[in-house]
């Protein structure tokens, strides 16, 4: 049947992934239905008879000619449950009869707090739409932005709120987007943690009421991460699994206080709303001004949690991280866009802590270079009066006792050894015992006349202030201009407290929640603009600032200060649900480990770290020749397959969680020419060896040669077999692969 389209847009957006389906966006002016298709998913919304923007469909990709009926508001369920609250609005103002979580809540200058947003107009953009809503009587305009990624089907949504009136309006709550899911039973997955214990995957059935994950800490936080995934199941939750079933997922790109609320309403409909955390929020929008929310990305997979994370990884590599570039496989097949794999680094923190000096760092650099390390990073302790964590933060001059000739001799030595040089900084912080604080005590976040709560003996500089922003950019620019620095480890070692900003009028002080983070992004962007080769790691006492906002300006993250190789397996397992292994730095450190007093072999530690972007963080000055030889060999082996490990399609074959005795991961290169497999034993019991491993994601008809990176397969395992063999028959490990904290790794190469 021919559709009556008075306006039809079909934008073929060039695809990031070879042979991915193009994104298609269309608007049917007869039905007022908007449709966005990308990858394997479709997203549809329309204008209902009241003028509200109503979500109509989000899920697997619909047929190209399918016509979608016009939006029709849901009926009132009872006098208690209005149509306004039952209807899944794309972006509901708090007003009329809304009881669900609003996307936007405001107070007008006259005290009026009723906001009802209706469709006004729209425009097509390169990959989606800008849809303008307006309050039914007052000049508050909201532009909803939609941008569909053709490769992954991940949809970016955010909003710009504009005051076209003559009086200021206070925005009390502003989400990036609300997402509605089809009625059903869902399992919610989300990540929580604490310092040294990040990335715990939690799973719970979505029950009535709201489940809130959030940070009130001024930054992303260790406590929860702004990511969710909802698995649908028919009867029993166990039906939802790693490689099967429908999953809707989302990630919020914001490194300030954030909130995602997952609510099942009185009619069992599930809606997810996320954006700025409304707690203590208040943004005064003066006439003519706008407030732009963070971006909330949402996606859909029919291949379970594994499929969802593979889509996210691809998307992060191609569209979030800096410097993606096109590459091809061995036979010229185009591979998805991605940044270069990370250099293998050495970092001296666990070896020296604050006791850095020229001779000691040079000695470590020599040993690091002998291992095949690409980048030498000096951590905390090199600046100001920084003998421990009581002093020096804020004073970014080179400590003259530790480095009498500045950093140049060390940097020159590192270069002469064939590595580049990286440096630790913590730009947003100040110790009260510092020249900076003595000179500018008013630069810290604080309520005037009230105590300043120290954490790790430090206070947070108020980046919302223009003078603080200028100071931070200024010292970083000088540091990077005067020294040949390839990389900054940008740390952030406490959360906010007492977030006062008394240079602003009282009503406007809460804007600190927006302006601080915007200025942080601005500094990072400006620094990178001035120094295009500079790379940056986002660290916050480990993984306290990992989100799709900071990742637009940083190349990697430090997932945790916990470098115990066994704990890391669980953390890495959780981490990869939301983030690509490309950014997941993992250091090999010393044994017994300082945190758990656990003793593990160097092979186990190396293989645990090789699941991500590899670093060495041990005191290599004490390593024996045998340890040096083993590490050197494994670093060389790692580099050969690194691109597959950190940018391939990840399959979590065996989970290390919940007391599991075994774990395994597999990554497959996008052109299916190579796969890398990691296997770990926690502790075998009752003589039971490693379970049979059925590989995934290979090309059934291609032959693959198996070779060992470390460890052995069962005697008699074919050297070459088809993808079908490895996936159906599976790989058996050597009978001797038993005991405690054992690890093995293999590669499969197309023959
Ligand atoms: C934080 C980081 C560590 C190290 C120390 C230095 O804890 O996460 O890796 O840099 O700070 O003080």
């Amino acid at each position: 049947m021919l559709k009556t389209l008075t306006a039809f847009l079909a934008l073929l957006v060039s695809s990031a992934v070879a042979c991915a389906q193009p994104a298609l966006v269309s608007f049917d002016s007869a039905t007022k239905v908007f449709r966005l298709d990308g990858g394997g998913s479709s997203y549809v919304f329309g204008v209902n008879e009241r003028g509200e923007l109503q979500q109509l469909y989000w899920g697997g990709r619909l047929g190209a000619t399918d016509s979608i009926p016009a939006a029709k508001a849901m009926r009132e369920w009872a006098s208690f449950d209005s149509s306004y609250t039952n209807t899944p609005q794309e972006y509901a103002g708090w007003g009329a009869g809304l009881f669900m979580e609003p996307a936007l809540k405001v107070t007008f200058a006259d005290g009026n707090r009723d906001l009802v947003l209706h469709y006004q107009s729209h425009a097509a953009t390169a990959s989606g739409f800008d849809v303008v809503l307006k309050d039914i009587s007052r000049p508050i305009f909201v532009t909803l932005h939609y941008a569909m990624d053709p490769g992954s089907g991940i949809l970016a949504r955010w909003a710009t709120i504009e005051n076209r009136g003559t009086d200021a309006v206070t925005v009390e709550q502003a989400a990036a987007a609300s997402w509605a899911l089809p009625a059903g039973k869902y399992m919610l997955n989300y990540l929580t943690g604490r310092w040294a214990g990040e990335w715990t995957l939690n799973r719970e059935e979505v029950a009535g009421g709201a489940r809130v994950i959030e940070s009130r800490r001024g930054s992303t936080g260790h406590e929860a991460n702004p990511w969710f995934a909802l698995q649908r199941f028919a009867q029993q939750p166990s039906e939802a699994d790693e490689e099967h079933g429908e999953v809707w997922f989302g990630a919020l790109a914001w490194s300030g206080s954030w909130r995602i609320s997952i609510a099942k309403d009185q009619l069992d409909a599930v809606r997810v709303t996320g954006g700025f955390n409304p707690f203590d929020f208040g943004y005064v929008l003066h006439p003519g001004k706008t407030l732009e929310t963070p971006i909330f990305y949402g996606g859909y997979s029919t291949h379970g949690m594994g499929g969802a994370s593979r889509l996210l990884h691809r998307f992060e590599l191609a569209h979030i991280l800096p410097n993606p570039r096109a590459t091809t496989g061995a036979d010229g097949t185009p591979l998805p866009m991605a940044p270069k794999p990370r250099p293998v680094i050495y970092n001296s923190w666990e070896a020296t802590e604050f006791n850095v000096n020229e001779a000691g760092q040079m000695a470590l650099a020599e040993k690091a270079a002998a291992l095949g390390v690409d980048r030498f990073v000096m951590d905390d302790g090199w600046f100001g009066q920084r003998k421990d964590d009581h002093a020096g933060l804020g004073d970014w001059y080179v400590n003259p006792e530790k480095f009498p000739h500045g950093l140049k001799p060390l940097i020159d030595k590192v270069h002469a050894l064939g590595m580049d040089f990286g440096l630790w900084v913590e730009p947003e912080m100040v110790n009260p015992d510092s020249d900076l604080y003595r000179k500018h005590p008013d630069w810290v976040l604080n309520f005037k006349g009230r105590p300043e709560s120290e954490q790790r003996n430090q206070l947070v500089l108020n980046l919302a202030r223009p003078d603080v922003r200028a100071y931070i950019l200024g010292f970083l620019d000088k540091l990077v201009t005067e020294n040949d620095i390839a990389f900054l480890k940008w740390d952030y070692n406490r959360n906010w407290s007492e977030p006062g900003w008394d240079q602003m009028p009282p009503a406007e002080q809460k804007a600190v929640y927006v302006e601080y983070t915007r200025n942080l992004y601005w500094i990072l962007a400006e620094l990178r603009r001035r120094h295009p080769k500079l790379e940056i790691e986002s660290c916050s006492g480990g993984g306290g600032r990992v989100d799709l906002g900071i990742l637009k300006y940083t190349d990697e993250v430090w997932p945790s200060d916990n470098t115990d190789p066994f704990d890391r397996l669980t953390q890495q397992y959780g981490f990869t649900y939301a983030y690509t292994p490309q950014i997941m730095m993992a250091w090999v450190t010393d044994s017994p480990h300082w945190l758990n007093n656990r003793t593990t072999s160097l092979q186990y530690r190396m293989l645990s770290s090789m699941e991500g972007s590899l670093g060495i963080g041990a005191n290599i000055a004490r390593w024996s020749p045998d340890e040096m030889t083993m590490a050197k060999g494994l670093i060389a082996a790692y580099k050969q397959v690194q691109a597959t490990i950190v940018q391939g399609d990840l399959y979590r074959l065996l989970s290390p969680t919940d007391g599991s005795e075994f774990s395994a991961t597999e990554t497959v290169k996008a052109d299916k020419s190579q796969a890398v497999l990691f296997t770990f034993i926690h502790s075998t019991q009752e003589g039971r060896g490693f379970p049979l491993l059925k590989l995934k994601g290979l090309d059934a008809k291609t032959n693959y040669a198996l070779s060992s990176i470390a460890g052995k397969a069962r005697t008699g395992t074919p050297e070459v077999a088809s993808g079908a063999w490895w996936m159906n028959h599976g790989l058996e490990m050597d009978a001797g692969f038993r005991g405690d904290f054992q690890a093995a790794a293999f590669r499969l190469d197309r023959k």
Side-chain angles (χ1 to χ4, degrees):
M1 199 175 72
L2 203 65
K3 290 206 299 179
T4 51
L5 298 184
T6 49
F8 181 78
L9 289 162
L11 302 180
L12 295 182
V13 181
S14 67
S15 161
V17 182
C19 72
Q21 301 186 61
L24 208 71
V25 303
S26 65
F27 174 67
D28 183 335
S29 63
T31 54
K32 294 207 178 105
V33 168
F34 297 82
R35 173 171 169 180
L36 300 105
D37 298 305
S41 62
S42 296
Y43 190 91
V44 188
F45 58 95
V47 182
N48 68 20
E49 70 278 21
R50 281 198 296 259
E52 296 151 6
L53 215 56
Q54 178 179 342
Q55 200 245 43
L56 294 173
Y57 177 81
W58 184 24
R61 192 160 177 152
L62 303 173
T65 57
D66 289 339
S67 66
I68 296 137
K72 192 169 177 314
M74 308 267 289
R75 68 183 176 87
E76 177 181 296
W77 173 249
S79 56
F80 302 96
D81 304 310
S82 74
S83 166
Y84 193 64
T85 213
N86 295 343
T87 301
Q89 291 191 59
E90 285 287 288
Y91 201 84
W94 184 72
L98 189 82
F99 306 114
M100 287 296 287
E101 189 70 37
L104 187 62
K105 181 179 185 313
V106 302
T107 296
F108 292 96
D110 60 359
N112 190 327
R113 305 193 303 284
D114 186 49
L115 183 73
V116 180
L117 297 170
H118 281 182
Y119 169 81
Q120 174 93 3
S121 64
H122 73 272
T125 60
S127 52
F129 294 106
D130 281 348
V131 184
V132 180
L133 311 181
K134 182 191 167 296
D135 178 64
I136 47 175
S137 69
R138 296 186 171 216
I140 286 289
F141 289 76
V142 180
T143 305
L144 302 184
H145 310 279
Y146 294 83
M148 175 60 94
D149 171 41
S152 61
I154 290 177
L155 180 63
R157 293 186 55 193
W158 72 106
T160 305
I161 302 141
E162 185 184 355
N163 178 6
R164 292 195 204 157
T166 49
D167 295 314
V169 175
T170 303
V171 177
E172 288 159 351
Q173 187 162 345
S178 290
W179 306 91
L181 275 75
K185 287 174 170 255
Y186 292 93
M187 182 68 80
L188 170 67
N189 295 260
Y190 60 102
L191 293 162
T192 59
R194 56 175 184 272
W195 176 79
E198 300 89 335
W199 312 111
T200 300
L201 183 73
N202 305 274
R203 299 185 75 214
E204 66 197 31
E205 192 176 333
V206 177
R211 180 80 174 85
V212 168
I213 50 172
E214 65 173 348
S215 162
R216 298 181 175 194
R217 297 161 177 263
S219 79
T220 325
H222 298 72
E223 192 181 1
N225 191 266
W227 165 89
F228 74 89
L230 286 158
Q231 291 169 286
R232 188 176 188 172
F233 60 91
Q235 290 303 328
Q236 297 302 320
S238 58
E239 287 172 28
D241 99 336
E242 178 72 15
E243 293 298 331
H244 302 103
E246 289 186 288
V247 177
W248 288 257
F249 58 93
L252 187 67
W254 187 241
S255 316
S257 290
W258 58 273
R259 191 177 80 166
I260 297 174
S261 122
I262 301 100
K264 187 172 193 176
D265 72 8
Q266 69 285 2
L267 302 184
D268 293 339
V270 172
R271 284 185 244 171
V272 180
T273 301
F276 297 124
N277 195 327
F279 176 79
D280 199 36
F281 194 80
Y283 193 93
V284 177
L285 210 51
H286 289 285
K289 296 289 181 202
T290 59
L291 171 65
E292 190 172 294
T293 72
I295 301 177
F296 204 167
Y297 297 95
Y300 168 83
S301 172
T302 46
H303 298 287
M305 295 293 288
S309 59
R310 287 189 289 276
L311 285 178
L312 252 181
H313 295 173
R314 284 267 174 95
F315 181 75
E316 290 159 358
L317 289 165
H319 301 293
I320 300 287
L321 291 168
N323 303 323
R325 82 238 193 282
T327 51
T328 53
D331 62 358
T333 315
L335 296 175
M337 297 278 286
K340 281 198 294 239
R342 308 300 306 143
V344 173
I345 66 134
Y346 177 77
N347 180 299
S348 63
W349 172 246
E350 289 199 19
T352 63
E353 296 207 335
F354 298 94
N355 299 322
V356 293
N357 59 48
E358 192 178 282
Q361 292 291 299
M362 283 185 176
L364 287 167
E366 280 182 12
K367 295 220 64 171
L371 289 173
V373 161
D374 306 306
R375 172 170 289 168
F376 183 85
V377 184
M378 178 158 68
D379 212 278
D380 199 349
W382 59 270
F383 55 91
Q385 294 306 307
R386 189 79 168 160
K387 297 185 181 64
D388 53 33
D389 61 16
H390 285 80
L393 282 177
D395 299 340
W396 298 104
Y397 60 87
V398 180
N399 181 291
E401 282 120 57
K402 297 177 181 180
F403 296 91
H405 315 290
L407 296 178
K408 192 166 185 316
L410 173 61
I411 297 178
D412 286 350
K413 169 96 178 173
V414 165
H415 288 166
L417 289 165
M419 301 180 288
D420 66 21
F421 181 76
L423 195 62
W424 181 94
V425 287
E426 194 175 357
E428 299 150 83
M429 298 289 168
V430 64
N431 287 117
D433 185 0
S434 67
D435 295 341
L436 184 72
Y437 183 76
R438 284 183 279 273
K439 202 164 156 205
H440 297 291
D442 56 325
W443 276 13
V444 299
L445 286 177
N446 170 242
F447 290 114
K448 202 168 192 166
R450 305 285 301 172
E452 295 172 345
S453 301
E454 292 176 24
Q455 288 159 34
R456 207 196 192 201
N457 314 301
Q458 64 194 58
L459 300 167
V460 185
L461 292 171
N462 183 358
L463 246 68
R465 290 175 60 125
D467 46 6
V468 172
R469 183 179 95 158
Y471 165 78
I472 292 178
L473 177 67
F475 92 73
L476 287 169
D477 186 34
K478 186 163 178 288
L479 189 65
V480 180
T481 303
E482 291 176 356
N483 300 283
D484 195 347
I485 293 170
F487 169 80
L488 291 175
K489 174 176 172 182
W490 183 303
D491 213 336
Y492 179 89
N493 273 315
R494 60 159 292 179
N495 295 130
W496 290 15
S497 58
E498 301 114 358
W501 184 10
D502 62 15
Q503 291 74 39
M504 296 293 280
E508 300 189 28
Q509 294 184 4
K510 291 176 178 175
V512 70
Y513 285 103
V514 177
E515 305 307 339
Y516 182 113
T517 307
R518 294 257 182 257
N519 281 348
L520 169 66
Y521 292 160
W522 182 86
I523 294 168
L524 287 162
E526 182 59 16
L527 197 61
R528 294 191 79 118
R529 193 189 63 76
R530 293 187 194 181
H531 305 279
K533 291 197 179 139
L534 181 71
E535 296 185 331
I536 302 174
E537 175 180 273
S538 173
C539 173
S540 173
R545 193 153 65 190
V546 184
D547 61 80
L548 297 193
I550 201 86
L551 285 173
K552 287 199 173 143
Y553 309 96
T554 54
D555 305 270
E556 60 182 53
V557 304
W558 183 226
S560 181
D561 275 348
N562 182 353
T563 54
D564 177 295
F566 174 65
D567 283 11
R568 269 291 175 114
L569 295 181
T570 300
Q571 293 185 309
Q572 292 171 183
Y573 171 83
F575 184 96
T576 59
Y577 278 98
Y579 302 104
T580 163
Q582 161 84 6
I583 64 163
M584 185 173 77
M585 297 308 291
W587 302 349
V588 176
T589 57
D590 286 316
S591 172
H593 194 265
W594 56 269
L595 192 65
N596 293 321
N597 201 24
R598 177 177 293 121
T599 300
T600 51
S601 69
L602 182 59
Q603 177 166 311
Y604 184 87
R605 281 177 276 147
M606 289 290 302
L607 265 48
S608 167
S609 296
M610 283 162 62
E611 278 193 329
S613 282
L614 177 64
I616 307 291
N619 191 351
I620 48 178
R622 295 205 205 113
W623 274 13
S624 68
D626 283 353
E627 287 174 309
M628 290 293 288
T629 305
M630 171 178 274
K632 187 177 172 185
L634 285 172
I635 288 172
Y638 172 76
K639 286 184 181 178
Q640 284 180 15
V641 290
Q642 182 182 1
T644 299
I645 296 171
V646 298
Q647 299 181 358
D649 286 324
L650 174 70
Y651 295 86
R652 289 172 290 258
L653 300 180
L654 288 175
S655 161
T657 61
D658 303 323
S660 168
E661 293 164 33
F662 310 101
S663 68
T665 59
E666 179 200 358
T667 38
V668 182
K669 201 168 187 154
D671 64 0
K672 297 191 185 289
S673 62
Q674 185 177 69
V676 180
L677 180 69
F678 288 100
T679 58
F680 299 93
I681 291 175
H682 174 197
S683 46
T684 46
Q685 296 181 56
E686 299 174 13
R688 289 202 183 97
F690 205 89
L692 174 70
L693 272 184
K694 295 197 175 192
L695 303 194
K696 292 195 158 62
L698 302 174
D699 179 7
K701 294 193 178 122
T702 295
N703 279 337
Y704 294 89
L706 178 78
S707 44
S708 163
I709 295 171
K712 285 195 285 187
R714 188 180 68 84
T715 313
T717 301
E719 278 170 25
V720 178
S722 66
W725 169 281
W726 300 117
M727 292 192 290
N728 296 327
H729 176 279
L731 175 71
E732 289 172 83
M733 303 295 288
D734 182 56
F737 192 48
R738 285 164 197 277
D740 297 344
F741 305 111
Q742 301 295 314
F746 301 88
R747 56 187 280 184
L748 287 160
D749 291 277
R750 184 164 62 199
K751 264 279 161 233

